[in-house]
C-alpha cells in the first residue's frame, strides 16, 4: 500500500482518516523523501541539456554587477574590515530612533511654549498700551490745568501791570510751559523706552531659558528612550534564548526517543529474524528426522499434499489484481470471504471460534462507541471499509487511537516502513500484548472488547458458505 501511494503521490482522504498520528507522520516523511529523490533525478537528468528560458515580453532582464573574476559580484555583510556587526548596527539604529522620537517630543513642547510666550507677550503689550493711554490722559489733564492756570494768571497780570510787563510775563510763562511740555514728553519717551526694553529683555531671556531647557529635555528624553529600547531588546533576547533552549531541549528529547524507538524496532526485527531462522532450522531438523525414519532407508522427502479446490481458488484470487481501494462494503465482504477467511483470520486457533476482539466492517465512530466507557488499554480489531486491511482501535487516556494494519503476501504489519511482519493477524495482536505499538505512546493491547449487538457485527463475514453446484 505504501509503495502504491509513493508511485501515485496521492493519498485518499478516507485512507488518511484511518491512519493514526504516528502513521501519518511516517507517510509524510516517506512522501517527502520520494519528492526529493525525484527532484534530484530530474536535476541530474536535465543538468547538461537545459534549454534557456526566453524572456517574456514587457519584462527586462536583470544584469548583475560583475567582479574581477567575471562572475556576479557578491558582497557578504561582515567580511569587510569596515563593516559593522549586527549588534553595532542595531544599537546605532536604536540611537537614531530614540533621537528622532526625542526631537519630535521636544519640537512639540517648543511649539507649545512659543505659543504660550506669544500669548503672554500679547497680554503684556495690551497692558502696556493701557498704561500708556492712562498716562497720556493724566498728562493731558495736567497740560489743560497748566494752560488754565496760565490764562488766569495772565488776566490778573494784565489788570495790575502794564502791557510791557504782561508781554514779558507771557514770554516767561511760555518758556516755562514749553519746558514743562518738553520735560513731560521726554519723561514719556523714556518711560516708553524703558518699558519696551524691559519687556523685550524679559521675552528674550525667557526664550533663551526655554531653548536651553528644551535642549536639556531633548537630550534627557533621548537617553530615556534609548534606555527603554535597550531594556526591551535585552528582554526580547532573554525570551529568545529561553525559547531556543526549550526548543533545543524538546528536540533533544524527541531525538532521544526517536533513537530509542529505532533501536527497539531494530531489536524487534533482529528477534524476528532469529525466530524465523530458528523456525526454519527446526523445520529442517524435523523433516530430516522424518526422512531418516521413513521406509526402505531412503532419504526422500514426503510428497506435498495436493491443494484443495478452495485453496486453489483463494490463491487465484490473490494473484488477481485488486483496485487500490475497495469500491464499497460488499467488495470488502467478498474479499474477506475469498482471501482472509480461508486463512482463519478472526478466529481463535485454540478454540476455533471467533476471537473476542474481532469485529466486522464497522466505521470509526462505531468503534469509538464500543470503547467509550472502557478502561485504558481496551481494544478491538475491525475490518476496514476504506482499504484492503484491518484497523486496531485502541482506548488511550484522552482519546481513541486507530492503527491501520496492511495485508500483503508476506503477512500482516502496521502501515509504514520497517515494520515487523507477522504471519497472521492473531500473531500481530498477541505480539503487541507485551510489546507497545509505538514507543512514544506505549500502547499495549490489554483488554479485548467483544460484541454488544445481536446478531454480531461480523455475521455477514462469518456466515456459513454455500457451495454452488452445477447439474450435469
Amino acid at each position: 500500500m505504501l509503495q502504491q501511494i509513493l508511485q501515485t503521490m496521492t493519498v485518499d482522504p478516507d485512507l488518511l482518516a484511518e491512519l493514526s498520528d504516528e502513521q501519518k507522520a511516517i507517510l509524510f516523511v516517506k512522501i517527502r523523501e520520494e519528492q526529493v529523490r525525484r527532484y534530484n533525478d530530474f536535476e541530474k537528468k536535465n543538468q547538461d541539456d537545459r534549454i534557456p528560458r526566453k524572456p517574456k515580453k514587457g519584462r527586462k532582464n536583470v544584469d548583475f554587477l560583475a567582479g574581477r573574476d567575471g562572475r556576479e559580484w557578491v558582497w557578504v555583510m561582515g567580511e569587510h574590515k569596515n563593516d559593522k556587526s549586527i549588534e553595532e548596527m542595531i544599537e546605532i539604529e536604536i540611537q537614531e530612533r530614540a533621537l528622532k522620537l526625542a526631537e519630535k517630543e521636544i519640537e512639540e513642547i517648543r511649539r507649545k511654549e512659543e505659543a504660550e510666550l506669544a500669548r503672554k507677550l500679547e497680554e503684556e503689550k495690551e497692558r502696556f498700551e493701557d498704561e500708556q493711554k492712562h498716562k497720556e490722559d493724566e498728562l493731558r489733564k495736567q497740560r489743560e490745568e497748566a494752560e488754565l492756570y496760565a490764562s488766569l494768571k495772565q488776566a490778573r497780570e494784565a489788570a495790575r501791570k502794564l502791557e510791557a510787563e504782561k508781554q514779558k510775563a507771557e514770554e516767561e510763562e511760555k518758556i516755562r510751559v514749553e519746558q514743562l511740555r518738553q520735560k513731560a514728553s521726554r519723561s514719556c519717551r523714556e518711560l516708553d523706552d524703558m518699558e519696551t526694553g524691559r519687556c523685550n529683555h524679559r521675552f528674550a531671556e525667557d526664550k533663551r531659558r526655554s531653548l536651553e531647557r528644551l535642549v536639556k529635555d531633548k537630550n534627557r528624553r533621548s537617553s530615556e528612550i534609548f534606555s527603554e529600547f535597550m531594556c526591551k531588546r535585552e528582554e526580547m533576547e532573554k525570551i529568545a534564548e529561553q525559547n531556543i533552549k526549550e526548543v533545543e531541549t524538546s528536540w533533544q528529547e524527541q531525538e532521544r526517543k526517536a533513537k530509542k524507538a529505532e533501536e527497539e524496532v531494530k531489536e524487534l526485527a533482529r528477534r524476528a529474524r532469529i525466530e524465523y531462522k530458528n523456525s526454519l532450522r527446526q523445520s529442517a531438523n524435523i523433516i530430516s528426522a522424518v526422512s531418516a525414519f521413513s521406509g526402505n532407508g531412503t532419504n526422500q522427502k514426503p510428497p506435498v499434499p495436493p491443494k484443495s479446490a478452495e485453496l486453489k481458488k483463494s490463491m487465484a484470487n490473490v494473484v488477481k489484481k485488486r483496485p487500490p481501494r475497495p469500491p464499497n462494503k460488499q467488495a470488502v465482504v467478498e474479499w474477506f470471504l475469498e482471501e482472509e477467511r480461508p486463512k482463519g483470520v478472526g478466529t481463535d486457533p485454540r478454540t476455533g471460534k471467533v476471537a473476542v476482539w474481532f469485529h466486522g466492517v464497522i466505521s470509526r465512530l462505531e468503534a469509538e462507541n464500543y470503547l467509550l466507557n472502557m478502561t485504558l488499554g481496551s481494544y478491538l480489531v475491525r475490518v476496514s471499509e476504506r482499504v484492503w486491511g484491518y484497523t486496531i482501535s485502541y482506548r488511550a487516556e484522552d482519546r481513541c487511537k486507530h492503527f491501520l494494519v496492511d495485508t500483503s503476501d508476506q503477512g500482516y504489519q502496521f502501515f509504514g516502513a520497517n515494520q515487523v511482519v507477522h504471519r497472521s493477524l492473531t500473531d500481530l495482536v498477541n505480539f503487541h500484548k507485551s510489546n507497545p505499538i509505538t514507543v512514544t505512546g506505549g500502547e499495549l493491547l490489554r483488554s479485548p472488547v467483544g460484541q454488544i449487538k445481536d446478531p454480531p457485527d461480523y455475521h455477514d463475514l462469518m456466515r456459513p458458505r454455500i457451495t454452488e453446484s452445477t447439474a450435469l
Side-chain angles (χ1 to χ4, degrees):
M1 186 182 301
L2 180 60
Q3 296 298 327
Q4 186 177 359
I5 292 174
L6 295 180
Q7 288 177 1
T8 59
M9 298 299 288
T10 56
V11 185
D12 191 88
D14 297 332
L15 172 61
L16 193 62
E18 290 290 329
L19 298 178
S20 63
D21 296 338
E22 292 81 1
Q23 292 173 335
K24 289 178 182 178
I26 293 173
L27 180 60
F28 172 78
V29 172
K30 293 299 178 182
I31 290 176
R32 186 58 180 166
E33 290 177 353
E34 180 66 16
Q35 289 176 344
V36 173
R37 187 190 65 78
R38 292 185 181 183
Y39 176 77
N40 292 332
D41 293 343
F42 177 79
E43 288 290 323
K44 186 177 180 181
K45 181 179 179 181
N46 300 329
Q47 186 174 7
D48 299 331
D49 53 350
R50 287 183 178 175
I51 301 175
R53 293 184 178 180
K54 295 182 180 180
K56 295 183 179 180
K57 295 182 179 180
R59 292 188 179 181
K60 295 182 179 179
N61 293 330
V62 179
D63 296 330
F64 295 95
L65 294 177
R68 294 180 180 178
D69 55 355
R71 301 179 65 182
E72 290 83 0
W73 180 80
V74 179
W75 171 65
V76 180
M77 184 177 65
E79 290 187 353
H80 195 269
K81 62 181 180 179
N82 295 331
D83 290 345
K84 297 179 181 179
S85 62
I86 297 296
E87 290 74 13
E88 293 176 349
M89 294 174 66
I90 292 175
E91 187 173 352
I92 292 173
E93 184 180 359
I94 291 175
Q95 289 178 354
E96 292 177 353
R97 289 175 58 190
L99 184 60
K100 288 182 181 179
L101 290 176
E103 288 178 353
K104 186 177 180 181
E105 293 179 1
I106 296 304
E107 182 66 21
E108 187 68 23
I109 295 173
R110 186 184 64 79
R111 286 199 297 267
K112 291 181 180 179
E113 291 187 352
E114 285 185 356
E116 184 68 19
L117 288 175
R119 186 184 62 79
K120 290 182 178 179
L121 181 61
E122 190 67 25
E123 292 179 354
E124 189 70 18
K125 286 183 179 179
E126 291 179 358
R127 185 183 64 79
F128 179 72
E129 289 177 357
D130 293 339
E131 291 181 356
Q132 288 292 105
K133 186 176 180 181
H134 180 68
K135 289 178 180 179
E136 288 177 358
D137 293 339
E138 290 291 334
L139 290 175
R140 188 173 60 253
K141 289 181 181 179
Q142 290 179 3
R143 285 196 296 269
E144 290 176 355
E145 289 179 357
E147 291 175 357
L148 180 61
Y149 175 74
S151 62
L152 291 175
K153 189 173 182 180
Q154 288 176 1
R156 288 194 297 270
E157 290 294 331
R160 292 194 304 266
K161 296 179 180 181
L162 297 172
E163 187 67 25
E165 293 178 358
K166 180 179 178 181
Q167 187 176 0
K168 185 179 178 180
E170 287 179 358
E171 291 177 358
E172 292 177 355
E173 188 67 23
K174 286 181 180 180
I175 293 171
R176 190 174 67 81
V177 170
E178 185 66 24
Q179 290 177 354
L180 290 173
R181 187 181 295 108
Q182 291 177 359
K183 185 177 180 180
S185 299
R186 190 167 51 254
S187 62
C188 288
R189 284 196 302 271
E190 291 177 356
L191 183 60
D192 291 342
D193 295 339
M194 190 184 332
E195 291 292 333
T196 304
R198 189 185 305 116
C199 182
N200 293 333
H201 179 71
R202 186 168 62 251
F203 176 74
E205 185 67 22
D206 292 341
K207 188 173 183 180
R208 184 182 62 79
R209 291 177 181 175
S210 176
L211 291 175
E212 291 177 355
R213 184 171 55 81
L214 289 175
V215 172
K216 292 180 181 179
D217 292 342
K218 183 181 74 173
N219 295 331
R220 178 182 56 80
R221 185 57 182 162
S222 177
S223 301
E224 290 177 357
I225 294 174
F226 178 74
S227 300
E228 292 176 359
F229 282 164
M230 294 302 293
C231 291
K232 290 182 179 179
R233 181 187 172 191
E234 291 177 358
E235 292 178 359
M236 292 178 66
E237 288 179 352
K238 289 180 180 179
I239 294 173
E241 290 178 359
Q242 186 177 0
N243 292 336
I244 290 173
K245 289 181 181 179
E246 292 178 356
V247 171
E248 186 175 0
T249 304
S250 176
W251 179 80
Q252 291 177 356
E253 182 66 20
Q254 291 179 359
E255 186 178 13
R256 185 184 62 80
K257 290 182 179 180
K259 289 182 178 179
K260 186 178 178 181
E262 185 178 1
E263 291 176 357
E264 291 183 357
V265 170
K266 289 181 179 178
E267 181 65 21
L268 292 174
R270 187 184 65 82
R271 291 179 182 177
R273 289 195 297 271
I274 293 173
E275 292 179 358
Y276 178 70
K277 291 179 181 179
N278 293 334
S279 64
L280 290 178
R281 191 179 298 110
Q282 291 176 2
S283 300
N285 294 333
I286 293 172
I287 293 173
S288 299
V290 171
S291 300
F293 287 99
S294 61
N296 298 326
T298 59
N299 196 15
Q300 297 179 355
K301 296 182 180 180
V304 179
K307 297 182 180 179
S308 62
E310 185 176 358
L311 187 56
K312 290 181 180 179
K313 186 177 180 181
S314 172
M315 294 300 292
N317 291 332
V318 171
V319 176
K320 184 174 62 177
K321 188 176 180 180
R322 297 193 305 265
R325 58 183 300 270
N328 49 42
K329 182 178 179 181
Q330 184 61 32
V332 176
V333 174
E334 293 177 358
W335 165 77
F336 183 86
L337 292 174
E338 293 175 0
E339 299 185 21
E340 296 298 300
R341 186 173 176 184
K343 301 177 185 178
V345 176
T347 58
D348 191 346
R350 296 174 299 179
T351 61
K353 298 181 179 180
V354 179
V356 178
W357 41 262
F358 184 75
H359 288 257
V361 186
I362 60 176
S363 63
R364 185 189 187 102
L365 182 60
E366 289 177 324
E368 292 181 354
N369 290 332
Y370 274 99
L371 301 171
L372 183 61
N373 298 321
M374 297 300 174
T375 58
L376 177 65
S378 300
Y379 70 96
L380 59 87
V381 181
R382 55 188 173 93
V383 182
S384 178
E385 190 178 0
R386 310 293 185 185
V387 297
W388 306 105
Y390 305 89
T391 302
I392 295 180
S393 299
Y394 177 82
R395 182 70 172 89
E397 292 183 359
D398 54 346
R399 59 189 175 92
C400 291
K401 296 182 179 181
H402 304 272
F403 301 95
L404 188 64
V405 178
D406 193 8
T407 60
S408 62
D409 296 339
Q410 289 77 20
Y412 300 82
Q413 63 178 2
F414 284 114
F415 181 85
N418 300 326
Q419 298 291 332
V420 179
V421 181
H422 301 271
R423 289 178 296 178
S424 65
L425 185 62
T426 304
D427 292 344
L428 186 145
V429 173
N430 293 333
F431 178 78
H432 288 290
K433 289 181 179 179
S434 56
N435 298 280
I437 298 176
T438 62
V439 178
T440 56
E443 301 88 354
L444 292 176
L445 304 180
R446 297 175 181 173
S447 304
V449 177
Q451 299 291 324
I452 58 175
K453 296 181 179 179
D454 189 19
D457 52 26
Y458 56 74
H459 71 281
D460 53 348
L461 303 177
M462 296 298 181
R463 66 177 183 267
R465 302 192 63 181
I466 301 175
T467 305
E468 297 181 356
S469 61
T470 305
L472 298 176

